[in-house]
Amino acid sequence: MGKNKFFTGVLIGAAVGGLVSLLDRQTRKEVVEMTKSCGTEFSRYAKHPQLVVESSKEIYEKIRTTAGQIEEDVKFINEKIDDIREITPQVKEIIDETKDTLHTSSESYKEVFTEEESEEELNRVGSEPFKGY
């Protein structure tokens, strides 16, 4: 019983709201024009029912074509996701190898530069004149 009152109240509220909005002259004018336009279209379809069938076929074909395109796009995206899933471990391995190589190289560079600095220090000290203390 409560549901009947609810929907009845909603319908009455919508009707009252619609009537209140018709107090505006521009709104009334637009509603009359829209009603005439809908009436004209309805009469045209009533006189020529094959137009309904033709337009329905056109809409169906557009929907079917769009659905086919969406299906192809989803397949393409799924294939790319699968490719990424396959490539990701390989890329991770390459990154790890590169990181290890750079770390090893940096250690080697540190050793080389440390050795060169020590040799330069010895050469510099050896070439300076003796200053007595």
Side-chain angles (χ1 to χ4, degrees):
M1 191 75 168
K3 290 183 180 179
N4 282 341
K5 288 183 181 179
F6 174 75
F7 289 114
T8 303
V10 169
L11 291 174
I12 290 172
V16 170
L19 290 174
V20 169
S21 68
L22 289 176
L23 293 175
D24 179 51
R25 181 178 303 231
Q26 183 64 31
T27 303
R28 280 195 311 269
K29 193 175 183 181
E30 289 173 2
V31 168
V32 168
E33 289 174 12
M34 186 175 63
T35 305
K36 285 180 183 178
S37 173
C38 288
T40 304
E41 287 295 312
F42 183 73
S43 327
R44 188 173 129 222
Y45 286 123
K47 290 177 185 174
H48 307 287
Q50 72 274 10
L51 292 175
V52 175
V53 173
E54 290 172 7
S55 66
S56 297
K57 285 181 181 178
E58 287 177 20
I59 291 171
Y60 171 76
E61 283 301 316
K62 287 179 182 178
I63 291 172
R64 194 171 68 84
T65 302
T66 303
Q69 289 173 343
I70 290 171
E71 183 180 1
E72 288 176 18
D73 291 346
V74 168
K75 282 181 184 177
F76 176 78
I77 289 170
N78 283 333
E79 288 173 3
K80 293 303 171 190
I81 289 172
D82 289 341
D83 290 346
I84 289 171
R85 284 184 181 147
E86 291 174 9
I87 291 173
T88 301
Q90 295 170 355
V91 171
K92 184 181 180 307
E93 186 178 321
I94 291 170
I95 289 172
D96 288 342
E97 288 175 1
T98 305
K99 181 180 169 185
D100 291 343
T101 302
L102 289 175
H103 181 72
T104 304
S105 295
S106 69
E107 292 300 319
S108 298
Y109 294 142
K110 285 179 186 177
E111 289 175 11
V112 168
F113 286 118
T114 304
E115 289 174 6
E116 286 180 6
E117 288 175 1
S118 297
E119 288 178 10
E120 287 177 14
E121 184 68 24
L122 286 175
N123 290 337
R124 189 174 49 84
V125 170
S127 65
E128 290 181 4
F130 176 72
K131 295 181 182 174
Y133 290 103

